[in-house]
Amino acid sequence: MRIKMSGIHVVDPERAYEFYTGTLGLEPLMAMPEYNLFIVCSPEDPGGPGLLLEPSDNPVAEAYRSGLYREQLPVLVLGVPDVQAEYERLSGLGVQFLGEPTLDSTGTQAVFDDGCGNYLQLHQD
């Protein structure tokens, strides 16, 4: 058994798709704007799990998404080889971080706003 796909609820799936592919560098897996269906995957593992960028139009989903956002809790953790380098790259592209990268017992991480209703966390591999 393996994880095939996971999803996160976003305010605007098409805008999220542009951010996740254009800014973050994830690979397009499927884009069907007429169905508001957008899926991305890791460029390092194109046959691996997809990430469905789900519309947050269900009241329960919206309550979950907005609650996490209000509390500044990351909905997704992205592994990168160098958090500081990725922080600098993304900051240069205008991505808003909650603060500079930090190091604790779990490793180096930084949290940023995806501009689509979520906070994401970078974690150093």
Side-chain angles (χ1 to χ4, degrees):
M1 188 177 299
R2 64 187 171 81
I3 296 172
K4 173 106 177 147
M5 186 176 309
S6 185
I8 61 171
H9 292 275
V10 296
V11 174
D12 180 342
E14 189 165 8
R15 191 175 85 205
Y17 181 78
E18 294 303 319
F19 177 79
Y20 283 60
T21 58
T23 302
L24 296 183
L26 296 176
E27 289 292 317
L29 190 58
M30 181 181 292
M32 298 176 73
E34 64 275 19
Y35 298 108
N36 210 19
L37 177 62
F38 299 91
I39 305 171
V40 297
C41 66
S42 168
E44 297 170 9
D45 188 12
L51 179 64
L52 174 61
L53 304 170
E54 298 188 60
S56 198
D57 52 3
N58 177 293
V60 173
E62 176 53 23
Y64 175 74
R65 188 211 55 76
S66 63
L68 289 175
Y69 189 80
R70 187 173 41 258
E71 296 296 320
Q72 297 182 332
L73 296 172
V75 68
L76 181 68
V77 178
L78 300 168
V80 295
D82 185 338
V83 168
Q84 184 65 43
E86 198 62 23
Y87 168 83
E88 291 170 12
R89 181 184 80 81
L90 292 173
S91 291
L93 294 172
V95 174
Q96 298 297 307
F97 282 81
L98 291 181
E100 299 215 3
T102 60
L103 174 63
D104 64 20
S105 62
T106 65
T108 304
Q109 62 255 326
V111 176
F112 66 93
D113 189 330
D114 72 355
C116 301
N118 295 290
Y119 286 101
L120 307 181
Q121 179 178 334
L122 298 176
H123 189 270
Q124 194 155 311
D125 291 335

